[in-house]
Amino acid sequence: MRTTVGIIGAGPAGLLLARLLHSAGIASVVLEGRDRGHVEGRQRAGILEQGTVDVLRAAGAGERLDREGLRHDGIELRFAGRRHRVDFPGLTGGRSVWVYAQTEVCKDLIALQLAEGGPLLFEAPALAVEDAATDRPRVRFRQGGQGGTEDVLECDYVVGCDGFWGVARRAVPAGSARVFERTYPYGWLGILADAPPSHHELVYARHDRGFALLSMRSPSVSRLYLQVPEGTDAGEWADEEIWDELTRRFETGDGWTLERGPVTQKSVTPMRSYVHEPMRHGRLFLAGDAAHIVPPTGAKGLNLAVGDVVTLARALVHERDTGSATLLDAYSATCLRRVWQAERFSYDMTGLLHRAPGATPFEDRIQLARLERIASCRAAETDLAEAYTGFPFG
Ligand code: RFL
Ligand code: PHB
């Protein structure tokens, strides 16, 4: 097999890149290791920045998003029994965010790709990227699921959109890259519940017992998260215990109550900050979670993936149209500016709202003082609102 751009991974990064390239008349092949049902069912991100929504619309993937997505003009910070609303449009000159699940973004992009785009192969795991530093990079992959046959995809460029656990990054020799990493001594226990959201906007709660987040998937489905110790097994928590703990952490002084309902999914996500620099090796480019991870507190991961592939698609089109590799050469540095701002914001939001094991009373007071500052100082609040609603794409 031969194509212009070989894309490894059909998450949001790989699918959107394929779509953008197809619209520009550049051929690509997408290799996805898992089956379609798995990719479409994986519960992950919920928040899209305005810039991400604009990109999806321009790519022709905005129809259902416009019908079913929920525009949110703010979030609530909850701490010490208090509630403080952050008004996004008022603080940012009109910006908002959208609640539209990653599962739905992927379903829409997969349907478009299968109807109009180039090949998208499911159950076709990449095994290795070879000759990345030459003019003829190749992806060795397996076709036909377990026990299938090995094949080779020859490309002009390979893009690793294969997430944090993928194989693309391994093709970069250790001496050619620098990795920046931080792990956190806690994770998120997430549930999906058939219960109407108990608040019309997201609630980020800081509590002495730990962080909690109220989010949603639709007017009848809630998505909720609890900070739990690192290494927690979701099976350790009975559904009623989860609801009781959420109720405690969201407590207010004004009679607000948390709506309960049947829990339909339950899992634990570890927390990590990670950046691989540069995001390129020869003709191999890394995009999305393959290149960087943020803890989910800032709701930035998918939005960063979108920024990367928009920047890369623009650079590939520029190279095709002008013969100039200037934008391709700038790809990594262009993306990393935005990536590090998202890393900084996600790290700050995580530290602002989570309770580290062994936190001292002094640290608790500092955390509360930071929240008080956001709630009482427009400049501090604006800083949060600008970062949450999104940094401009390169
Ligand atoms: P993905 O989504 O991990 O997709 C990678 C794809 O590559 C495939 N793959 C391979 N395919 C072929 N060969 C191989 N060898 C392969 N190895 C892997 C995988 O099967 C998969 O299909 O990466 P991508 O596209 O870069 O997208 C990144 C986002 O998924 C991620 O950043 C977000 O989910 C992060 N995130 C959030 N981001 C937001 O912008 N807003 C949010 O509100 C938000 N909330 C979240 C989140 C992530 C969470 N978890 C579970 C980590 C909430 C949570 C709980
Ligand atoms: C979600 O709805 O899954 C979600 C929302 C906001 C976050 C993280 C996850 O910060």
Side-chain angles (χ1 to χ4, degrees):
M1 276 178 96
R2 173 149 191 91
T3 189
T4 309
V5 182
I7 299 173
I8 310 175
L15 290 167
L16 180 61
L17 178 61
R19 178 74 189 161
L20 296 173
L21 294 178
H22 173 75
S23 306
I26 296 178
S28 73
V29 172
V30 183
L31 302 174
E32 166 58 46
R34 311 299 295 257
D35 64 34
R36 182 176 177 180
H38 180 90
V39 172
E40 292 187 342
R42 211 164 24 199
Q43 253 329 304
R44 301 183 84 183
I47 293 287
L48 308 182
E49 295 171 1
Q50 183 67 53
T52 295
V53 170
D54 294 343
V55 166
L56 291 170
R57 282 184 183 143
E63 191 199 321
R64 200 160 64 93
L65 193 166
D66 281 328
R67 239 182 312 125
E68 298 175 18
L70 310 167
R71 199 187 85 201
H72 279 208
D73 288 342
I75 54 169
E76 183 176 301
L77 298 176
R78 207 170 273 197
F79 57 99
R82 285 185 50 191
R83 313 169 62 169
H84 175 79
R85 177 168 189 266
V86 180
D87 166 19
F88 292 150
L91 292 160
T92 62
R95 271 143 62 182
S96 305
V97 296
W98 293 73
V99 172
Y100 189 65
Q102 179 165 335
T103 48
E104 308 314 297
V105 173
C106 288
K107 281 181 204 164
D108 295 346
L109 289 169
I110 287 170
L112 282 170
Q113 181 73 10
L114 294 177
E116 307 168 5
L120 160 56
L121 310 183
F122 288 103
E123 296 182 84
L127 304 174
V129 178
E130 296 171 345
D131 298 335
T134 73
D135 285 350
R136 302 295 295 271
R138 303 138 47 91
V139 184
R140 206 152 45 74
F141 68 103
R142 202 171 56 228
Q143 284 220 62
Q146 285 295 333
T149 53
E150 254 190 62
D151 214 330
V152 170
L153 178 63
E154 296 183 347
C155 321
D156 293 341
Y157 299 99
V158 175
V159 188
C161 298
D162 49 350
F164 186 66
W165 301 105
V167 299
R169 220 171 45 233
R170 290 187 217 149
V172 182
S176 312
R178 217 172 146 197
V179 164
F180 302 84
E181 186 166 22
R182 185 184 206 285
T183 55
Y184 299 80
Y186 36 76
W188 282 13
L189 170 64
I191 61 165
L192 203 61
D194 286 333
S198 300
H199 191 59
H200 67 289
E201 292 175 341
L202 271 64
V203 180
Y204 287 82
R206 185 263 169 217
H207 191 277
D208 283 344
R209 299 176 64 91
F211 170 73
L213 170 61
L214 182 157
S215 180
M216 62 200 71
R217 288 293 175 265
S218 73
S220 58
V221 176
S222 291
R223 176 78 170 151
L224 295 135
Y225 297 98
L226 273 181
Q227 175 189 342
V228 291
E230 185 187 20
T232 297
D233 181 331
E236 293 167 29
W237 285 76
D239 295 355
E240 281 313 301
E241 284 177 309
I242 296 174
W243 287 115
D244 291 347
E245 188 60 24
L246 286 165
T247 301
R248 280 187 212 106
R249 295 190 194 179
F250 285 123
E251 73 184 355
T252 63
D254 62 7
W256 179 91
T257 55
L258 179 66
E259 197 83 40
R260 300 187 182 202
V263 173
T264 55
Q265 270 192 43
K266 180 161 71 175
S267 62
V268 172
T269 308
M271 309 267 278
R272 183 190 309 273
S273 300
Y274 178 96
V275 181
H276 182 281
E277 290 190 0
M279 292 168 56
R280 171 187 191 176
H281 176 65
R283 286 177 170 254
L284 167 66
F285 293 83
L286 301 174
D289 279 13
H292 41 71
I293 295 286
V294 285
T297 329
K300 285 282 166 263
L302 188 158
N303 295 292
L304 280 182
V306 168
D308 290 351
V309 299
V310 166
T311 305
L312 185 55
R314 206 178 280 155
L316 288 166
V317 171
H318 184 73
E319 201 258 5
R320 189 230 11 223
D321 292 348
T322 67
S324 158
T326 315
L327 294 188
L328 280 178
D329 290 343
Y331 167 75
S332 178
T334 304
C335 292
L336 284 169
R337 275 195 292 278
R338 189 161 175 271
V339 166
W340 276 111
Q341 284 307 315
E343 291 286 348
R344 192 252 331 148
F345 174 65
S346 304
Y347 172 85
D348 283 352
M349 278 287 275
T350 301
L352 178 71
L353 294 162
H354 290 71
R355 190 151 195 286
T360 62
F362 176 83
E363 287 160 337
D364 287 338
R365 282 289 195 275
I366 290 290
Q367 213 175 26
L368 288 170
R370 288 167 67 197
L371 283 157
E372 287 286 356
R373 178 78 184 156
I374 291 165
S376 61
C377 164
R378 194 174 165 89
E381 198 183 11
T382 302
D383 188 47
L384 189 158
E386 283 183 351
Y388 195 95
T389 54
F391 303 105
F393 291 1

